[in-house]
Every structure is written in C-alpha cells, then in structure tokens.
Amino acid sequence: MTAESRADHRPSATPPLTERQEARRRRILDASAQLAARGGFDAVQMREVAEAAGVALGTLYRYFPSKIHLLVATMQDQLQHLHTTLRKRPPAGAAPAERVAETLMRTFRALQREPQLADAMVRALTFADRSVSPEVDTVSRLTTAIILDAMGAEQPTPEQLSAVRVIEHTWHSALITWLSGRASIAQVKIDIETVCRLIDLTAPERPAARQ
C-alpha cells in the first residue's frame, strides 16, 4: 500500500480529506458499526462493509487496509462521538476522581448498549499489530483527553499523566472482563472508582497559605 493510500485513514495525516472523501469514510465507518452491532467481530467482512457503504472493495482497502484497521478506526469514531456528548453534558462531581469515575462509567454504559460492537472493537485493539499503531495511538489519545477533561487538568503533571495511563489500562481491562462474562457491572464500577483514587494521590500540592 502506498503512503498516499495510508493517509486516507490516518486521522493526523495530511492533506485532509475532501468533503466527498470524508462522506465516503463516514459511510464506511457507519456500515462497520452497524454490522458489528448486529453480529460482532466475525460479521464485519470487508466485502459486506463495502456493499453496505456503497463503495468499491478496492476503495474500502484504500481507506482501511484491513479489518483490524477498520474496527480500530470505528472505535476511534465512537470515542469521538462520546467525547462530544460528554463535553455537552460534563460530569457533575465536585472532586476530579469522582468526575473521572462518572465519565468512565458513562462511557462504559454507552458501550454496554451495543455489546457486540464493543466486543468487536476491543478484539480489534487486542489483535492490532504495529501496522495499526497510528490508529491505536489515536484511540489512546482520545481516552486520555476524555479523562483529562473530566479531571479539569489543562496542564497535567507527569505524575498525573502516569495515573491517567493506569486508569486507562484498568478501564480497558474491566471492559474485557465484562465482555467475557468474568465481571459484573457492579464489579466494574468498584474497580473504576478504586483506580480513580490515584488522581487524588497525584494532585499537585498547593502552596501553604501565608499567615
């Protein structure tokens, strides 16, 4: 695959997509999500996606060179939508840890409404190799941005960023254990609330008030 074709599906690549290309990409991602929601990972076949999106199979491969690329991009798209929703309706908790826990549980419940889609996207992340690194990195950056927004941390410290990474790992693991039937929603909530306490532990110390 050429560098030009890779640029079509890399979110940070230049030049940007034209309006027509963006509309085509939108149809492909919608078709991927719909097929996954109905039948999970195995239901997302490139030929069926192309037919549902109304594009040629070769065109689909120019945007997404594999099913894994496509499903990871689908997760990126779902997270972007969730991020927009969360910004419109931010968490109401007083403490940063409380807001992050609320945000992650809202994100979890959104995925819970479409369990087969969630399973397909998580499996794609698990199977992703180095060729999918740009897309996986974008998913990670979006998750980080969602957490930092909930924290209200515009300039996070290295310690806070480390805590965010641990929270991301725990959230991802909790999602996997729930999808596999090894954890209940109640247990996921406990795990998320527990790991979010790291936010309090890594909060910058305020200077002592002068007497």
Side-chain angles (χ1 to χ4, degrees):
M1 187 179 64
T2 66
E4 181 180 359
S5 63
R6 285 197 299 269
D8 281 342
H9 70 270
R10 288 188 180 181
S12 60
T14 55
L17 299 179
T18 65
E19 184 175 344
R20 184 177 179 181
Q21 289 172 327
E22 187 58 50
R24 187 181 297 131
R25 187 177 189 275
R26 174 79 271 148
R27 294 200 308 273
I28 291 170
L29 291 173
D30 287 345
S32 169
Q34 290 166 9
L35 287 168
R38 289 200 296 266
F41 183 86
D42 292 337
V44 181
Q45 301 297 322
M46 298 296 272
R47 187 172 298 280
E48 281 77 5
V49 172
E51 290 176 357
V55 301
L57 184 60
T59 300
L60 172 59
Y61 277 109
R62 285 199 298 272
Y63 282 80
F64 304 101
S66 75
K67 171 177 172 174
I68 301 300
H69 286 82
L70 174 58
L71 281 170
V72 174
T74 302
M75 186 165 197
Q76 172 197 334
D77 187 60
Q78 295 290 313
L79 285 174
Q80 285 175 328
H81 176 71
L82 283 167
H83 197 189
T84 300
T85 302
L86 289 164
R87 282 178 165 173
K88 291 178 180 177
R89 294 176 50 241
E98 183 181 352
R99 293 195 300 272
V100 172
E102 179 187 340
T103 293
L104 292 178
M105 286 308 299
R106 282 170 61 183
T107 303
F108 185 87
R109 290 189 181 98
L111 295 171
Q112 182 188 4
R113 287 192 287 271
E114 297 284 1
Q116 295 211 77
L117 172 58
D119 181 65
M121 295 186 300
V122 169
R123 286 176 67 181
L125 279 176
T126 303
F127 297 152
D129 58 20
R130 290 184 180 180
S131 71
V132 200
S133 291
E135 291 80 6
V136 173
D137 289 345
T138 300
V139 167
S140 179
R141 284 195 299 270
L142 277 168
T143 308
T144 298
I146 289 171
I147 295 172
L148 291 176
D149 275 3
M151 288 171 61
E154 295 182 1
Q155 295 182 323
T157 66
E159 290 78 13
Q160 286 177 311
L161 289 174
S162 180
V164 168
R165 285 192 294 272
V166 175
I167 292 168
E168 284 184 40
H169 294 327
T170 302
W171 180 79
H172 185 253
S173 176
L175 184 57
I176 291 173
T177 55
W178 173 75
L179 287 168
S180 64
R182 293 183 288 118
S184 65
I185 300 297
Q187 186 60 56
V188 167
K189 187 172 186 293
I190 291 170
D191 292 349
I192 293 298
E193 290 176 345
T194 299
V195 75
C196 284
R197 292 174 190 163
L198 286 174
I199 294 170
D200 296 331
L201 297 177
T202 57
E205 293 184 6
R206 296 182 179 178
R210 293 183 178 179
Q211 297 294 330

